[in-house]
């Protein structure tokens, strides 16, 4: 799993609808991959309030995302959190007899 891939994170965020400018601000604020976003605050998907997530985003971006932007961030955070949980599950269930999984290659010119 590419939890620490900056290139995969950027590609997915752009596809979801997060702007390049916001991604640059996130990177400057220390959030540039899936695992960093998944654990950037105390919020967990399904919690009663996502204030912790949006307070953290406001501290990085300078403004609280709203409307369509907020939905993009909720989706990105949910996916990051799900990936982190799946990674943890696979580590816990891995044994010496486990099948080795090949990672998808990065796109040409992409960096991690």
């Amino acid at each position: 799993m590419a939890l620490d891939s900056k290139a995969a994170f950027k590609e997915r965020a752009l596809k979801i609808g997060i702007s390049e400018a916001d991604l640059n601000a996130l990177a400057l604020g220390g959030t540039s991959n899936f695992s960093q976003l998944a654990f950037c605050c105390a919020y967990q998907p399904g919690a009663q309030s996502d204030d912790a997530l949006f307070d953290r985003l406001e501290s990085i971006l300078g403004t609280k995302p709203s409307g369509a932007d907020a939905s993009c961030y909720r989706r990105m955070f949910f996916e990051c959190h799900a990936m982190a949980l799946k990674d943890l599950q696979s580590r816990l269930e891995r044994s010496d007899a486990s099948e080795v999984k090949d990672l998808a290659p990065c796109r040409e010119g992409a960096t991690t």
Side-chain angles (χ1 to χ4, degrees):
M1 193 164 294
L3 282 177
D4 298 319
S5 172
K6 293 177 183 178
F9 177 80
K10 181 177 181 177
E11 183 179 341
R12 184 65 186 143
L14 289 170
K15 187 175 242 178
I16 285 176
I18 296 172
S19 72
E20 184 94 34
D22 280 2
L23 286 173
N24 291 336
L26 286 170
L28 287 173
T31 305
S32 59
N33 64 42
F34 297 106
S35 61
Q36 290 171 338
L37 184 60
F39 298 104
C40 72
C41 63
Y43 171 66
Q44 290 187 4
Q48 191 171 16
S49 171
D50 57 10
D51 288 345
L53 172 62
F54 285 99
D55 289 345
R56 175 69 178 138
L57 291 172
E58 182 177 23
S59 73
I60 295 172
L61 302 174
T63 183
K64 215 174 256 193
S66 61
D69 289 339
S71 66
C72 293
Y73 278 105
R74 282 186 186 100
R75 180 176 177 183
M76 188 71 183
F77 186 86
F78 181 86
E79 289 183 16
C80 290
H81 197 265
M83 288 175 68
L85 291 176
K86 184 66 175 170
D87 180 65
L88 178 61
Q89 179 185 18
S90 70
R91 287 178 201 226
L92 292 172
E93 294 175 351
R94 188 177 304 149
S95 69
D96 291 338
S98 295
E99 179 183 335
V100 176
K101 295 181 181 179
D102 292 326
L103 295 176
C106 284
R107 293 180 12 188
E108 188 173 321
T111 60
T112 58

PDB file of all heavy atoms in Angstrom, residues 13-38:
ATOM      1  N   ALA A  13      -5.902  13.231  -4.775  1.00  0.00           N
ATOM      2  CA  ALA A  13      -6.535  14.473  -4.301  1.00  0.00           C
ATOM      3  C   ALA A  13      -6.996  15.333  -5.472  1.00  0.00           C
ATOM      4  O   ALA A  13      -8.100  15.887  -5.448  1.00  0.00           O
ATOM      5  CB  ALA A  13      -5.570  15.244  -3.421  1.00  0.00           C
ATOM      6  N   LEU A  14      -6.167  15.444  -6.492  1.00  0.00           N
ATOM      7  CA  LEU A  14      -6.558  16.223  -7.674  1.00  0.00           C
ATOM      8  C   LEU A  14      -7.768  15.602  -8.356  1.00  0.00           C
ATOM      9  O   LEU A  14      -8.671  16.311  -8.798  1.00  0.00           O
ATOM     10  CB  LEU A  14      -5.386  16.340  -8.656  1.00  0.00           C
ATOM     11  CG  LEU A  14      -4.230  17.238  -8.206  1.00  0.00           C
ATOM     12  CD1 LEU A  14      -3.048  17.077  -9.152  1.00  0.00           C
ATOM     13  CD2 LEU A  14      -4.669  18.697  -8.118  1.00  0.00           C
ATOM     14  N   LYS A  15      -7.787  14.270  -8.416  1.00  0.00           N
ATOM     15  CA  LYS A  15      -8.915  13.566  -9.051  1.00  0.00           C
ATOM     16  C   LYS A  15     -10.209  13.786  -8.262  1.00  0.00           C
ATOM     17  O   LYS A  15     -11.281  13.932  -8.840  1.00  0.00           O
ATOM     18  CB  LYS A  15      -8.609  12.076  -9.153  1.00  0.00           C
ATOM     19  CG  LYS A  15      -9.629  11.292  -9.940  1.00  0.00           C
ATOM     20  CD  LYS A  15      -9.188   9.858 -10.103  1.00  0.00           C
ATOM     21  CE  LYS A  15      -9.021   9.619 -11.572  1.00  0.00           C
ATOM     22  NZ  LYS A  15      -8.554   8.293 -11.899  1.00  0.00           N
ATOM     23  N   ILE A  16     -10.112  13.847  -6.958  1.00  0.00           N
ATOM     24  CA  ILE A  16     -11.285  14.062  -6.110  1.00  0.00           C
ATOM     25  C   ILE A  16     -11.790  15.498  -6.224  1.00  0.00           C
ATOM     26  O   ILE A  16     -12.969  15.757  -6.078  1.00  0.00           O
ATOM     27  CB  ILE A  16     -10.952  13.697  -4.648  1.00  0.00           C
ATOM     28  CG1 ILE A  16     -10.895  12.185  -4.505  1.00  0.00           C
ATOM     29  CG2 ILE A  16     -11.963  14.273  -3.682  1.00  0.00           C
ATOM     30  CD1 ILE A  16     -10.479  11.705  -3.144  1.00  0.00           C
ATOM     31  N   GLY A  17     -10.881  16.445  -6.482  1.00  0.00           N
ATOM     32  CA  GLY A  17     -11.307  17.835  -6.632  1.00  0.00           C
ATOM     33  C   GLY A  17     -10.618  18.825  -5.719  1.00  0.00           C
ATOM     34  O   GLY A  17     -11.023  19.982  -5.627  1.00  0.00           O
ATOM     35  N   ILE A  18      -9.576  18.387  -5.035  1.00  0.00           N
ATOM     36  CA  ILE A  18      -8.803  19.296  -4.191  1.00  0.00           C
ATOM     37  C   ILE A  18      -7.831  20.050  -5.090  1.00  0.00           C
ATOM     38  O   ILE A  18      -7.169  19.462  -5.934  1.00  0.00           O
ATOM     39  CB  ILE A  18      -8.084  18.521  -3.071  1.00  0.00           C
ATOM     40  CG1 ILE A  18      -9.129  17.881  -2.143  1.00  0.00           C
ATOM     41  CG2 ILE A  18      -7.137  19.432  -2.294  1.00  0.00           C
ATOM     42  CD1 ILE A  18      -8.573  16.940  -1.115  1.00  0.00           C
ATOM     43  N   SER A  19      -7.760  21.351  -4.916  1.00  0.00           N
ATOM     44  CA  SER A  19      -6.964  22.182  -5.821  1.00  0.00           C
ATOM     45  C   SER A  19      -5.466  22.022  -5.581  1.00  0.00           C
ATOM     46  O   SER A  19      -5.019  21.650  -4.495  1.00  0.00           O
ATOM     47  CB  SER A  19      -7.339  23.652  -5.651  1.00  0.00           C
ATOM     48  OG  SER A  19      -6.843  24.145  -4.415  1.00  0.00           O
ATOM     49  N   GLU A  20      -4.710  22.330  -6.612  1.00  0.00           N
ATOM     50  CA  GLU A  20      -3.244  22.307  -6.533  1.00  0.00           C
ATOM     51  C   GLU A  20      -2.752  23.265  -5.443  1.00  0.00           C
ATOM     52  O   GLU A  20      -1.837  22.956  -4.687  1.00  0.00           O
ATOM     53  CB  GLU A  20      -2.661  22.692  -7.893  1.00  0.00           C
ATOM     54  CG  GLU A  20      -1.162  22.616  -7.975  1.00  0.00           C
ATOM     55  CD  GLU A  20      -0.653  21.288  -8.504  1.00  0.00           C
ATOM     56  OE1 GLU A  20      -1.318  20.680  -9.357  1.00  0.00           O
ATOM     57  OE2 GLU A  20       0.427  20.869  -8.050  1.00  0.00           O
ATOM     58  N   ALA A  21      -3.372  24.447  -5.368  1.00  0.00           N
ATOM     59  CA  ALA A  21      -2.986  25.432  -4.345  1.00  0.00           C
ATOM     60  C   ALA A  21      -3.201  24.876  -2.937  1.00  0.00           C
ATOM     61  O   ALA A  21      -2.350  25.053  -2.053  1.00  0.00           O
ATOM     62  CB  ALA A  21      -3.778  26.723  -4.531  1.00  0.00           C
ATOM     63  N   ASP A  22      -4.326  24.202  -2.725  1.00  0.00           N
ATOM     64  CA  ASP A  22      -4.586  23.601  -1.419  1.00  0.00           C
ATOM     65  C   ASP A  22      -3.589  22.482  -1.122  1.00  0.00           C
ATOM     66  O   ASP A  22      -3.129  22.331   0.008  1.00  0.00           O
ATOM     67  CB  ASP A  22      -6.011  23.058  -1.325  1.00  0.00           C
ATOM     68  CG  ASP A  22      -7.039  24.133  -1.036  1.00  0.00           C
ATOM     69  OD1 ASP A  22      -6.672  25.326  -0.948  1.00  0.00           O
ATOM     70  OD2 ASP A  22      -8.226  23.776  -0.906  1.00  0.00           O
ATOM     71  N   LEU A  23      -3.242  21.695  -2.124  1.00  0.00           N
ATOM     72  CA  LEU A  23      -2.260  20.630  -1.927  1.00  0.00           C
ATOM     73  C   LEU A  23      -0.902  21.198  -1.536  1.00  0.00           C
ATOM     74  O   LEU A  23      -0.213  20.642  -0.675  1.00  0.00           O
ATOM     75  CB  LEU A  23      -2.133  19.769  -3.185  1.00  0.00           C
ATOM     76  CG  LEU A  23      -3.302  18.822  -3.429  1.00  0.00           C
ATOM     77  CD1 LEU A  23      -3.166  18.149  -4.787  1.00  0.00           C
ATOM     78  CD2 LEU A  23      -3.381  17.782  -2.334  1.00  0.00           C
ATOM     79  N   ASN A  24      -0.527  22.303  -2.155  1.00  0.00           N
ATOM     80  CA  ASN A  24       0.740  22.949  -1.797  1.00  0.00           C
ATOM     81  C   ASN A  24       0.699  23.440  -0.357  1.00  0.00           C
ATOM     82  O   ASN A  24       1.668  23.297   0.385  1.00  0.00           O
ATOM     83  CB  ASN A  24       1.053  24.094  -2.763  1.00  0.00           C
ATOM     84  CG  ASN A  24       1.386  23.599  -4.156  1.00  0.00           C
ATOM     85  OD1 ASN A  24       1.819  22.468  -4.338  1.00  0.00           O
ATOM     86  ND2 ASN A  24       1.166  24.443  -5.140  1.00  0.00           N
ATOM     87  N   ALA A  25      -0.425  24.042   0.040  1.00  0.00           N
ATOM     88  CA  ALA A  25      -0.579  24.516   1.418  1.00  0.00           C
ATOM     89  C   ALA A  25      -0.553  23.346   2.398  1.00  0.00           C
ATOM     90  O   ALA A  25       0.068  23.434   3.467  1.00  0.00           O
ATOM     91  CB  ALA A  25      -1.870  25.313   1.565  1.00  0.00           C
ATOM     92  N   LEU A  26      -1.217  22.253   2.053  1.00  0.00           N
ATOM     93  CA  LEU A  26      -1.203  21.068   2.904  1.00  0.00           C
ATOM     94  C   LEU A  26       0.221  20.553   3.085  1.00  0.00           C
ATOM     95  O   LEU A  26       0.634  20.209   4.195  1.00  0.00           O
ATOM     96  CB  LEU A  26      -2.090  19.967   2.321  1.00  0.00           C
ATOM     97  CG  LEU A  26      -3.600  20.164   2.449  1.00  0.00           C
ATOM     98  CD1 LEU A  26      -4.345  19.126   1.624  1.00  0.00           C
ATOM     99  CD2 LEU A  26      -4.038  20.111   3.887  1.00  0.00           C
ATOM    100  N   ALA A  27       0.980  20.500   1.992  1.00  0.00           N
ATOM    101  CA  ALA A  27       2.359  20.020   2.063  1.00  0.00           C
ATOM    102  C   ALA A  27       3.201  20.923   2.976  1.00  0.00           C
ATOM    103  O   ALA A  27       3.976  20.430   3.798  1.00  0.00           O
ATOM    104  CB  ALA A  27       2.964  19.942   0.670  1.00  0.00           C
ATOM    105  N   LEU A  28       3.015  22.221   2.838  1.00  0.00           N
ATOM    106  CA  LEU A  28       3.741  23.160   3.706  1.00  0.00           C
ATOM    107  C   LEU A  28       3.350  22.978   5.172  1.00  0.00           C
ATOM    108  O   LEU A  28       4.150  23.207   6.077  1.00  0.00           O
ATOM    109  CB  LEU A  28       3.491  24.601   3.280  1.00  0.00           C
ATOM    110  CG  LEU A  28       4.182  25.036   1.992  1.00  0.00           C
ATOM    111  CD1 LEU A  28       3.715  26.437   1.591  1.00  0.00           C
ATOM    112  CD2 LEU A  28       5.693  25.003   2.143  1.00  0.00           C
ATOM    113  N   GLY A  29       2.121  22.545   5.393  1.00  0.00           N
ATOM    114  CA  GLY A  29       1.625  22.299   6.750  1.00  0.00           C
ATOM    115  C   GLY A  29       1.938  20.900   7.266  1.00  0.00           C
ATOM    116  O   GLY A  29       1.474  20.508   8.331  1.00  0.00           O
ATOM    117  N   GLY A  30       2.706  20.125   6.495  1.00  0.00           N
ATOM    118  CA  GLY A  30       3.115  18.797   6.948  1.00  0.00           C
ATOM    119  C   GLY A  30       2.180  17.664   6.592  1.00  0.00           C
ATOM    120  O   GLY A  30       2.252  16.585   7.172  1.00  0.00           O
ATOM    121  N   THR A  31       1.315  17.884   5.623  1.00  0.00           N
ATOM    122  CA  THR A  31       0.372  16.844   5.208  1.00  0.00           C
ATOM    123  C   THR A  31       0.489  16.639   3.704  1.00  0.00           C
ATOM    124  O   THR A  31      -0.112  17.380   2.929  1.00  0.00           O
ATOM    125  CB  THR A  31      -1.067  17.229   5.581  1.00  0.00           C
ATOM    126  OG1 THR A  31      -1.115  17.502   6.986  1.00  0.00           O
ATOM    127  CG2 THR A  31      -2.047  16.120   5.264  1.00  0.00           C
ATOM    128  N   SER A  32       1.276  15.645   3.311  1.00  0.00           N
ATOM    129  CA  SER A  32       1.497  15.433   1.880  1.00  0.00           C
ATOM    130  C   SER A  32       1.380  13.974   1.452  1.00  0.00           C
ATOM    131  O   SER A  32       1.767  13.612   0.350  1.00  0.00           O
ATOM    132  CB  SER A  32       2.871  15.974   1.476  1.00  0.00           C
ATOM    133  OG  SER A  32       3.890  15.334   2.210  1.00  0.00           O
ATOM    134  N   ASN A  33       0.824  13.121   2.319  1.00  0.00           N
ATOM    135  CA  ASN A  33       0.563  11.742   1.915  1.00  0.00           C
ATOM    136  C   ASN A  33      -0.660  11.207   2.663  1.00  0.00           C
ATOM    137  O   ASN A  33      -1.211  11.882   3.524  1.00  0.00           O
ATOM    138  CB  ASN A  33       1.800  10.855   2.099  1.00  0.00           C
ATOM    139  CG  ASN A  33       2.245  10.714   3.534  1.00  0.00           C
ATOM    140  OD1 ASN A  33       1.424  10.549   4.438  1.00  0.00           O
ATOM    141  ND2 ASN A  33       3.544  10.778   3.770  1.00  0.00           N
ATOM    142  N   PHE A  34      -1.069  10.009   2.303  1.00  0.00           N
ATOM    143  CA  PHE A  34      -2.293   9.423   2.859  1.00  0.00           C
ATOM    144  C   PHE A  34      -2.220   9.258   4.380  1.00  0.00           C
ATOM    145  O   PHE A  34      -3.168   9.582   5.088  1.00  0.00           O
ATOM    146  CB  PHE A  34      -2.571   8.065   2.213  1.00  0.00           C
ATOM    147  CG  PHE A  34      -2.835   8.128   0.743  1.00  0.00           C
ATOM    148  CD1 PHE A  34      -1.876   7.702  -0.167  1.00  0.00           C
ATOM    149  CD2 PHE A  34      -4.034   8.606   0.246  1.00  0.00           C
ATOM    150  CE1 PHE A  34      -2.103   7.751  -1.535  1.00  0.00           C
ATOM    151  CE2 PHE A  34      -4.283   8.661  -1.120  1.00  0.00           C
ATOM    152  CZ  PHE A  34      -3.310   8.238  -2.011  1.00  0.00           C
ATOM    153  N   SER A  35      -1.101   8.749   4.874  1.00  0.00           N
ATOM    154  CA  SER A  35      -1.014   8.503   6.317  1.00  0.00           C
ATOM    155  C   SER A  35      -1.001   9.806   7.110  1.00  0.00           C
ATOM    156  O   SER A  35      -1.572   9.873   8.203  1.00  0.00           O
ATOM    157  CB  SER A  35       0.210   7.647   6.657  1.00  0.00           C
ATOM    158  OG  SER A  35       1.398   8.293   6.283  1.00  0.00           O
ATOM    159  N   GLN A  36      -0.365  10.840   6.584  1.00  0.00           N
ATOM    160  CA  GLN A  36      -0.350  12.113   7.297  1.00  0.00           C
ATOM    161  C   GLN A  36      -1.744  12.721   7.397  1.00  0.00           C
ATOM    162  O   GLN A  36      -2.104  13.270   8.432  1.00  0.00           O
ATOM    163  CB  GLN A  36       0.622  13.086   6.626  1.00  0.00           C
ATOM    164  CG  GLN A  36       2.075  12.691   6.815  1.00  0.00           C
ATOM    165  CD  GLN A  36       3.021  13.514   5.983  1.00  0.00           C
ATOM    166  OE1 GLN A  36       2.650  14.101   4.972  1.00  0.00           O
ATOM    167  NE2 GLN A  36       4.272  13.543   6.385  1.00  0.00           N
ATOM    168  N   LEU A  37      -2.538  12.615   6.344  1.00  0.00           N
ATOM    169  CA  LEU A  37      -3.900  13.140   6.416  1.00  0.00           C
ATOM    170  C   LEU A  37      -4.771  12.271   7.322  1.00  0.00           C
ATOM    171  O   LEU A  37      -5.573  12.788   8.094  1.00  0.00           O
ATOM    172  CB  LEU A  37      -4.533  13.262   5.023  1.00  0.00           C
ATOM    173  CG  LEU A  37      -5.925  13.887   4.998  1.00  0.00           C
ATOM    174  CD1 LEU A  37      -5.916  15.310   5.575  1.00  0.00           C
ATOM    175  CD2 LEU A  37      -6.482  13.913   3.572  1.00  0.00           C
ATOM    176  N   ALA A  38      -4.583  10.962   7.260  1.00  0.00           N
ATOM    177  CA  ALA A  38      -5.399  10.058   8.080  1.00  0.00           C
ATOM    178  C   ALA A  38      -5.225  10.311   9.574  1.00  0.00           C
ATOM    179  O   ALA A  38      -6.149  10.079  10.359  1.00  0.00           O
ATOM    180  CB  ALA A  38      -5.059   8.605   7.756  1.00  0.00           C
TER     181      ALA A  38
END
